[in-house]
Amino acid sequence: MIRSILLTTVLMASGTLFSQKLKTVSYQDGSQKLNGLITSNAGKKLPGVLILPAWKGIDDEAKTAAIELEKQGYIAFIADIYGEGKIPADNDAASKSSGYYKQNYQEYQKRISLALEQLKKNGAISDKTAVIGYCFGGTGALESARGHLPVAGVVSIHGSLGRDQTRKIENLTAKILVENPADDKSVSQQDYDNLIKEMNEGNADWQIITYAHSKHTFTDPKSPDYNEVMAKRAWNHTLMFLKEILK
């Protein structure tokens, strides 16, 4: 009972903090309304980071990342990939929705590009922007590089590494950081090897950091996979990478 009350209190406090620090930005993809979130330093001329959330849409992990990035001197914008009225209600729906965009990667790249436009409209310096993504969003970070979106670098955090092998490998100009949990059952050795092959053939500036004793959603405090030590290391690696390419 006490634990339940404490959890409710923490969640209410988090909700208040998010509402104070993050503001909704509505934008369009044709007739589809999209609702992203921007940090409170919007409008200033600062480096920018686009955050691509996991498969259920904008969540607390993405919101926390945005607030922490603001503290580091970045404008952060959380993209809405699915659109208003299309947020998955459960894992089955999330799998179907995210699977659609993975298969139709050009539509995914377009939604990311539209979010990047909003980030820049809200003050982010055009040539000092990056993309980070969690899970499904980590896949989107890689698609940002593959789609030659105008960013300095991308960070894929426990993202899917699989790629349709019939797709042509092109030069990858964005710097790439992949944060890969060692025990992620959704990433096969073949996917891992193919990604390295793609990055090498694409002449990319790339690195992969693998985190021991870590399962798929190891960075999310609400997940049973959460590994606090490795999550902190991954975040520090993200900050170090962003500092190198944006400051």
Side-chain angles (χ1 to χ4, degrees):
M1 179 65 177
I2 294 176
R3 182 180 179 183
S4 177
I5 293 172
L6 288 173
L7 179 60
T8 300
T9 302
V10 169
L11 290 174
M12 289 176 64
S14 298
T16 301
L17 175 63
F18 292 147
S19 65
Q20 291 174 344
K21 294 288 186 178
L22 301 171
K23 303 301 180 185
T24 300
V25 174
S26 295
Y27 55 113
Q28 298 285 142
D29 182 4
S31 61
Q32 177 61 61
K33 183 178 180 181
L34 305 164
N35 297 307
L37 293 175
I38 193 85
T39 46
S40 61
N41 57 354
K44 299 180 180 179
K45 285 296 181 182
L46 295 168
V49 181
L50 178 65
I51 301 171
L52 304 179
W55 67 344
K56 285 187 177 178
I58 296 174
D59 58 12
D60 284 354
E61 184 171 26
K63 293 175 183 177
T64 299
I67 291 171
E68 291 302 314
L69 287 169
E70 180 179 4
K71 294 176 183 178
Q72 298 294 324
Y74 302 103
I75 298 172
F77 183 72
I78 309 175
D80 177 6
I81 298 300
Y82 300 137
E84 186 173 272
K86 296 186 177 180
I87 305 304
D90 53 34
N91 287 349
D92 287 341
S95 178
K96 183 177 180 180
S97 296
S98 62
Y100 172 83
Y101 283 97
K102 288 179 184 179
Q103 182 176 359
N104 297 278
Y105 63 89
Q106 291 177 323
E107 292 186 39
Y108 197 5
Q109 291 169 348
K110 182 183 179 185
R111 289 282 167 93
I112 298 168
S113 181
L114 290 171
L116 274 173
E117 290 177 7
Q118 294 301 316
L119 175 63
K120 294 176 182 180
K121 284 180 180 179
N122 280 276
I125 301 170
S126 292
D127 61 350
K128 291 185 179 294
T129 57
V131 175
I132 72 171
Y134 296 89
C135 188
F136 168 54
T139 304
L142 292 175
E143 287 299 343
S144 300
R146 291 170 180 144
H148 303 292
L149 301 190
V151 295
V154 304
V155 185
S156 174
I157 305 167
H158 53 79
S160 172
L161 307 185
R163 170 182 165 277
D164 183 350
Q165 293 303 295
T166 64
R167 290 172 65 180
K168 180 182 177 182
I169 294 177
E170 300 181 5
N171 281 347
L172 300 166
T173 55
K175 296 182 180 181
I176 298 171
L177 170 60
V178 176
E179 298 180 354
N180 183 57
D183 302 324
D184 191 341
K185 301 300 183 183
S186 67
V187 174
S188 70
Q189 187 62 49
Q190 184 176 19
D191 288 340
Y192 185 92
D193 293 342
N194 284 338
L195 179 65
I196 293 176
K197 179 176 181 290
E198 176 190 4
M199 292 190 292
N200 282 335
E201 291 186 7
N203 197 32
D205 177 339
W206 67 272
Q207 58 189 317
I208 297 176
I209 302 176
T210 300
Y211 300 88
H213 315 298
S214 297
K215 297 181 181 180
H216 179 54
T217 51
F218 77 106
T219 62
D220 186 353
K222 293 184 176 181
S223 168
D225 293 348
Y226 182 57
N227 183 324
E228 183 177 7
V229 171
M230 294 300 174
K232 287 181 178 178
R233 290 181 186 175
W235 183 246
N236 286 332
H237 290 147
T238 298
L239 293 180
M240 182 170 63
F241 179 79
L242 292 175
K243 183 178 180 180
E244 175 192 328
I245 66 173
L246 298 182
K247 291 188 174 181

